[in-house]
Amino acid sequence: MNVRILYSTILILISCMFVSCLRHEVLPGDTEEWRDSKDRLHKRIVDGRTETYTYDKAGNAIHYNTSDGYEWWATYDEHGNMVTYKDSLGNIGTYDDEGNFNITAPDGSSATQEGTMISYEDDHPEELEEDYKEIEDDPDAELTLDDVAWYYNNSDNRTHEVMTKKPNEIDLYDMSGNVYEWCDDYFKIVYDPEAGEQKESTIIEKDPRRVIRGGGFGDAEDYTCRVSYRSCYEPTERSPSIGFRLALDADSSRIIEKEGFVRVSGACFTMGGYDEEEHEEYPRDFYILPHEVTQGEYKAIMGENPSHFNLGDNYPVENVSWYDVIRYCNMLSIKEGLKPSYGWYDRDIEKWTYPVLGTEIPDTVTVDRILYNNGYRLPDEIEWEFAARGGKASSGYCYSGAN
């Protein structure tokens, strides 16, 4: 990239980031805006172009994206000064100790704009300091679906980086929206009502489709993001709106603590509601990944990225079938010395087969979770809904972390 062009880019970026975003200057043209009670601009449409802003608790703009695909991300220090910047064009910006903004383009060219840092005092006038203090002191303020989920109204019809929305009560992200998530279960199993306990021998009907939960970025109806909503998909099929997250058993005899996972303590809860029948369930303790499995994590194990929205390592992997996912679970388990959680038993050779990358799964076998193996797995839908509701800390929200 020509340095002169790059230098001009700096000026444009600074103008966009600080003037348009933090000072909320309105661009000319046909403009429609959505602001919150703190007068922070969250979305606007300027001459048909949608711009969306995301803020941290201190009121700093940490993410900006447009309907034509451009976006940027920023981090700040405790005083509200921007520390790092990156955008979807591959430009990376940082501030040095003298307050100069340095930007590097993907081709390695770079340029510097001197003295562009806006201080906390400059950008947070006295009359607004109390408002920012209130934001910091009230992390439990009432949240809405827009605060916790990427869905039709704010997603620009694509996925977004994981953990860029607010978490729920137990610090799980994107349980509503972004991508649907595969669960362990069949969508429907009908048992013989006269057979007593629900055991495999009592099954009279099994729907081969697998459960998906959580809603996705493209759903026009927000009810699909409710914690009670359930749907299904054929286990062999793929969709850009379906990804997954991992779970682990929490049996202390095998796994004491798992770094990077949230331990969810089991308790009785009411599952369902709205269009689903309410009933009581009692999940055991388990671990669950706080975010959807990312493209970078998937590629590190499988050597490929099947995602339709191939936007970066921190975006959720999608376009994966249920069988793709259980292969990933098994391969990750083997890599970490755990016993794979999925397979089928071949009675002819009296041996378990654990499908991994390249394993053909015959139509004549049924792949299921192997109980009591300690490998990575998908949450079943009882675990998934309990976690999405916030576990024992649930506030009874309609969505995961918000009403």
Side-chain angles (χ1 to χ4, degrees), residues 16-17 30 38 66 86 116 121-122 131 149 162 170 178 184 206 217 247 256 270 288 320 322 329 338 355:
C16 174
M17 286 187 292
D30 183 15
K38 302 296 179 185
T66 66
K86 66 176 181 178
T116 59
E121 291 75 15
D122 289 339
D131 287 341
V162 302
I170 53 175
N178 216 4
D184 191 71
K206 181 183 289 186
F217 64 85
I256 305 301
T270 301
I288 191 166
V320 285
W322 190 85
C329 291
L338 302 175

Side-chain angles (χ1 to χ4, degrees), residues 320-383:
V320 285
S321 70
W322 190 85
Y323 289 125
D324 294 334
V325 170
I326 63 105
R327 288 183 174 99
Y328 173 85
C329 291
N330 282 353
M331 291 182 68
L332 182 59
S333 298
I334 292 169
K335 180 181 179 181
E336 297 193 8
L338 302 175
K339 202 165 184 180
S341 291
Y342 294 95
W344 71 88
Y345 188 74
D346 190 329
R347 297 186 182 279
D348 293 335
I349 60 176
E350 297 184 346
K351 183 180 178 182
W352 283 96
T353 297
Y354 306 117
V356 293
L357 184 64
T359 302
E360 293 294 329
I361 300 176
D363 295 335
T364 55
V365 304
T366 299
V367 177
D368 275 319
R369 179 150 64 96
I370 305 166
L371 297 178
Y372 308 115
N373 279 13
N374 65 347
Y376 292 95
R377 59 178 178 83
L378 294 170
D380 62 44
E381 66 169 328
I382 294 173
E383 293 171 332

Side-chain angles (χ1 to χ4, degrees), residues 2 75 96 100 112 136 178 180 212 255 265 278 282 308 326:
N2 183 281
T75 62
D96 58 30
N100 303 315
T112 298
E136 294 174 353
N178 216 4
Y180 281 89
I212 55 174
I255 299 173
S265 299
E278 290 189 344
Y282 200 130
H308 174 77
I326 63 105

Side-chain angles (χ1 to χ4, degrees), residues 179-213:
V179 291
Y180 281 89
E181 298 177 13
W182 285 110
C183 287
D184 191 71
D185 316 66
Y186 292 101
F187 183 62
K188 182 180 179 183
I189 297 179
V190 179
Y191 296 91
D192 183 351
E194 299 180 359
E197 295 182 5
Q198 295 181 353
K199 296 180 179 179
E200 285 293 319
S201 59
T202 71
I203 295 175
I204 57 177
E205 179 188 343
K206 181 183 289 186
D207 188 327
R209 295 173 297 176
R210 297 284 178 162
V211 172
I212 55 174
R213 289 294 209 115

Side-chain angles (χ1 to χ4, degrees), residues 282-301:
Y282 200 130
R284 300 174 63 183
D285 292 6
F286 61 97
Y287 289 99
I288 191 166
L289 196 64
H291 59 80
E292 292 153 342
V293 172
T294 66
Q295 295 177 24
E297 291 168 335
Y298 190 89
K299 186 176 180 179
I301 298 300

Side-chain angles (χ1 to χ4, degrees), residues 23 39 54 82 117 183 350 369 388:
R23 299 191 185 282
D39 198 37
T54 303
M82 183 182 286
M117 178 176 284
C183 287
E350 297 184 346
R369 179 150 64 96

Side-chain angles (χ1 to χ4, degrees), residues 157-169:
N157 204 31
R158 62 178 180 83
T159 61
H160 289 263
E161 285 191 301
V162 302
M163 303 177 74
T164 52
K165 289 292 186 179
K166 302 286 186 183
N168 72 357
E169 298 92 326

